[in-house]
Amino acid sequence: MIQLGRVCTACSAATSVVTRPTETEVADMSTGADRHAIFPMWKHMGLELQSLCNRDCDWCPRQMDKSGIRKTPHGYSVVQEMPTDKVHCILDQVYALGFRGPIHFHSLSEPLLDARYLAIATHAHVQGFLIEENTNGDILRLNTQLRKQLDGVVDLFNIGLYDCKTEAEESTLMDWWRSAFTKSIVTFSRMSLGSPRTRQNSLLYNIRSKDQRVLEYPCFSPQYQLLIRYDGEVALCCEDDTSELSLGNAFREPIEDIWWSQRRIDVALTLRKSGSRKAYPLCKNCYVFFGWD
């Protein structure tokens, strides 16, 4: 069944009613079956507004990047914004497909560095999207007016407590952040609860011991996340910042065609199987595990 929603003037898209696939249905992909019914819509969406971050954390893949995506070959940060009309076009497309969130506006970047953030978040909020944002908190901590303006517009802020040395420091800072918002939910990324994920291309990846069992685990992230970089490139998952698998560009192709492409479906369903990470260069050395399906 197809339900029509709002349509972007650049790329029309229709709302699809989808169900979760079973392994026995995978073969139907090559026999002309309805891919919308077999492969589910994403559950979370990342729409990156700009490329920059004000920090350079040793656990973040942007620190070692020299590809021209995050940093130049000489180590200078790349500064680039997603055009505002493209942001609105993409939001309109996913709205028409029936998606309402959660959505966030970052990738390997700090979303609040974008001067347009308030306007874009407000636009998405009015549309009816659930916004769940990750931030290091540096901009919000210094800008009281922006905190008040975003309170309730962003449904949830997950704030990184990267500078705390003790649990007592974390507790004090968490109390401060909770008092700073009356409508938005506030959660935290706490360094005291464990080390951050071992991510490829980060400084920690090369010096940290790794659990080799993870390389045999399945990966479900590609079927749950739609991630669009500031330049329109669509990633397989949050570890695919270089868009290595070339799944499409949201500036040139409709979101519907990208998500339900045979290419993406094949990769996502392959990675559901244990031991399948070795099938792709991007995945064969990935130690990130998001849990069982």
Side-chain angles (χ1 to χ4, degrees), residues 138-151:
D138 294 345
I139 304 298
L140 285 177
R141 188 163 54 245
L142 297 173
N143 194 328
T144 302
Q145 181 180 5
L146 184 60
R147 288 200 308 270
K148 292 180 178 179
Q149 291 171 319
L150 289 174
D151 193 10

Side-chain angles (χ1 to χ4, degrees), residues 191-204:
M191 295 295 103
S192 67
L193 295 183
S195 299
R197 299 196 307 264
T198 302
R199 305 186 65 174
Q200 294 184 78
N201 299 320
S202 69
L203 180 62
L204 286 187

Side-chain angles (χ1 to χ4, degrees), residues 259-277:
W259 182 260
W260 280 287
S261 69
Q262 188 67 57
R263 170 71 165 156
R264 185 179 186 101
I265 292 171
D266 287 346
V267 173
L269 294 182
T270 295
L271 288 170
R272 286 170 57 97
K273 304 171 186 177
S274 296
S276 61
R277 297 186 184 214

Side-chain angles (χ1 to χ4, degrees), residues 143-183:
N143 194 328
T144 302
Q145 181 180 5
L146 184 60
R147 288 200 308 270
K148 292 180 178 179
Q149 291 171 319
L150 289 174
D151 193 10
V153 171
V154 174
D155 297 275
L156 181 147
F157 280 111
N158 185 62
I159 298 170
L161 305 181
Y162 305 140
D163 299 326
C164 297
K165 305 300 183 184
T166 66
E167 290 191 31
E169 286 183 49
E170 283 188 341
S171 180
T172 299
L173 191 53
M174 286 191 291
D175 287 343
W176 185 89
W177 278 114
R178 291 188 182 108
S179 68
F181 294 96
T182 60
K183 300 175 184 177

